[in-house]
Amino acid sequence: MAAQRQIGSTAACLLVRDVRAAAEYYADKLGFVAPQLQEDGNPPFAIPQRDDVSVMLARAPQGKPVQANCTDIAMFSAYFWVRDVDALYEEFNANGADITEKPTDRAYGIREIYVRDLDGHLICFGSDIEETTH
């Protein structure tokens, strides 16, 4: 008998300057919804969700600078595996998202795009090249 999976998903936790503004960016530009916006929490946070994935947004401590994990496409703050990266690119572009790299085929068999959020976090979306139509 096969063992049941214990871990079903994960969510990156990103520090942001303004939780409401960050949650609105994820909603307006990237198609997420933020049903759990807690501005009175300690720290204030939101959990934007899209399909079956989430990203946690927590307000950075007052007076502390927000620093993204990485500021170039060599690395990212969060990675989302997606079904059709080209369709997401078209959607994000139409919504005015800050796309830092258009769909690009990688040597490791993934087609990816990079998006920068309001706090400089790079978010990468990728799909298997074999499954992507372009």
Side-chain angles (χ1 to χ4, degrees), residues 52 62 96 110:
D52 293 329
Q62 292 292 345
I110 305 296

Side-chain angles (χ1 to χ4, degrees), residues 12-122:
C13 184
L14 306 177
L15 293 178
V16 299
R17 288 182 290 270
D18 181 328
V19 173
R20 178 174 293 281
E24 287 173 358
Y25 182 88
Y26 278 80
D28 297 343
K29 306 299 183 190
L30 306 180
F32 283 70
V33 295
Q36 297 180 25
L37 176 61
Q38 242 188 338
E39 293 180 283
D40 60 348
N42 188 17
F45 72 93
I47 306 175
Q49 300 170 328
R50 180 167 177 169
D51 300 322
D52 293 329
V53 299
S54 304
V55 61
M56 296 178 181
L57 305 172
R59 190 186 72 209
Q62 292 292 345
K64 300 285 184 179
V66 172
Q67 182 173 345
N69 292 350
C70 192
T71 57
D72 62 36
I73 61 169
M75 192 44 64
F76 42 81
S77 295
Y79 193 101
F80 292 98
W81 293 100
V82 301
R83 184 178 47 80
D84 185 346
V85 75
D86 292 297
L88 277 182
Y89 168 76
E90 294 299 329
E91 175 188 333
F92 295 168
N93 192 44
N95 291 343
D98 182 6
I99 299 169
T100 63
E101 184 167 314
K102 295 178 180 182
T104 303
D105 292 346
R106 306 289 183 204
Y108 41 86
I110 305 296
R111 185 168 174 81
E112 298 174 333
I113 61 172
Y114 280 79
V115 177
R116 187 182 324 275
D117 74 7
L118 294 178
D119 293 283
H121 297 290
L122 284 176

